[in-house]
Amino acid sequence: MAELIEQGKREYALKHFDTATDLFSDASRELVEKFGEGSPECAVAFYWYGNALFNIALQKSTFLGSSNEKETEEDSEQPDLPTAKIQKVGKILVFEDEEEGDAEQADEPENGEKDNETGGAEEEQEEEEEDDMMLAWNILDLTRTILEKMDGEENQKMLAETYLTLGDISLELEQWSRAVLDYSDAVKLKSKLFPPSNRQLSESYFKLALAYEFTEEYDKALENLKLTSLVLQNRVSILRDDLRHTTDPEKMKEVEDEIKEIMEGMVPELDEKIKDLELIRDQVGTKFPGDAATASKTSDANGAETFAAAAPSKVVNDVSNLVKKKPKVNVDTDAVMEEKSAKKAKLED
């Protein structure tokens, strides 16, 4: 089982997510059969399995989105929200091999037949993507419940990354309120685990800001964008101190490049985004807590029907759930939200 996981990690590092998924699935199944699905021994395999599935879903989503964009790019403008979504998943977006795309185009049918077949293929691909996203959420939510009961710094770091990926999935499924809760958990835990100059912390603040922007809670979005910038500037202070105490030319070049990346690229972009969001906030008005709660409920109510099919169940109770492309399931999303909200209230108390 350990060898299966190590092989899966190697394939994952090479972005061979399908192969990695098969290896992690086999390891997960064997561990569940031996220890039970809620056992600590399953946490690592579940963590990698869920992440591999999520990356497969992203690959399919990106490839399908690129195809649709080519068809409409001449007569449509790109909206703001998809641009923001690309920003938040930019580090983990993986595009399909161009050679595969060329091979698919070689035998294209003509006219109406082509349209029908393309539409059917895209619909089938969307369903497969949804299945992978569902299963990824299921596996990672189970990972969360296991890791929350485990001590140790490495387990807590894995838990923080699990929260972050659950937030990514919530954003992909356009469940903004849930993304806020997931990212908030990630920020709280990473704030304890990492110093205020760690770039993992800045990434978490940025994603939380993005989720708040989608829920139209602009003050909270701005607060987290400013925290993102602050962490990056803290990082620059550390780097400049390192620069004063190193004589290794290679190390100096590495540090100088990172300082330049942050100060000439990331910080100015964040400052611009903050200005834009302040303008939006001033135009539409600040959202008050009562409005935010109402919006959250409305969002949940409106999204319940689609998310019942797209969202994963709270707990994986059967070994068969560890098989790829399982059937869609109906989920009590209110129960999941209630659990998250209760935990959030407890932490705030």
Side-chain angles (χ1 to χ4, degrees), residues 44-62:
V44 172
F46 285 172
Y47 171 82
W48 286 102
Y49 183 28
N51 276 278
L53 281 166
F54 178 50
N55 275 279
I56 287 174
L58 282 178
Q59 281 184 326
K60 293 175 181 177
S61 174
T62 303

Side-chain angles (χ1 to χ4, degrees), residues 144-212:
R144 172 188 66 80
T145 62
I146 295 171
L147 289 172
E148 284 178 341
K149 301 172 186 176
M150 297 174 65
D151 297 322
E153 184 176 345
E154 290 305 312
N155 291 328
Q156 291 300 294
K157 287 180 179 179
M158 194 185 306
L159 176 59
E161 288 302 312
T162 300
Y163 287 143
L164 205 65
T165 309
L166 285 169
D168 291 343
I169 295 174
S170 295
L171 275 193
E172 288 296 321
L173 296 172
E174 300 185 3
Q175 296 297 308
W176 319 130
S177 298
R178 285 211 19 201
V180 165
L181 294 174
D182 293 327
Y183 288 144
S184 295
D185 287 339
V187 164
K188 288 172 186 174
L189 187 50
K190 289 198 175 193
S191 297
K192 297 176 182 177
L193 293 170
F194 299 110
S197 58
N198 189 282
R199 288 180 65 165
Q200 288 193 44
L201 187 57
S202 68
E203 178 190 20
S204 301
Y205 278 129
F206 180 77
K207 290 185 174 185
L208 180 55
L210 183 67
Y212 275 128

Side-chain angles (χ1 to χ4, degrees), residues 1 30 78 81 86 110 116 175 285 291 300 313 320:
M1 290 177 283
E30 290 183 20
Q78 185 175 355
L81 292 186
I86 289 171
E110 297 181 358
N116 291 336
Q175 296 297 308
D291 295 331
D300 293 340
S313 58
S320 62

Side-chain angles (χ1 to χ4, degrees), residues 36-89:
E37 70 271 3
S39 66
E41 289 83 357
C42 295
V44 172
F46 285 172
Y47 171 82
W48 286 102
Y49 183 28
N51 276 278
L53 281 166
F54 178 50
N55 275 279
I56 287 174
L58 282 178
Q59 281 184 326
K60 293 175 181 177
S61 174
T62 303
F63 182 67
L64 185 59
S66 299
S67 299
N68 290 338
E69 183 179 345
K70 287 179 182 179
E71 294 174 2
T72 59
E73 62 183 352
E74 293 184 358
D75 57 1
S76 64
E77 296 181 359
Q78 185 175 355
D80 292 334
L81 292 186
T83 301
K85 288 182 70 178
I86 289 171
Q87 287 178 328
K88 66 93 185 164
V89 296

Side-chain angles (χ1 to χ4, degrees), residues 119-130:
E122 289 179 355
E123 183 178 351
E124 181 179 350
Q125 189 169 14
E126 286 174 347
E127 290 177 357
E128 288 183 6
E129 174 200 338
E130 191 173 87

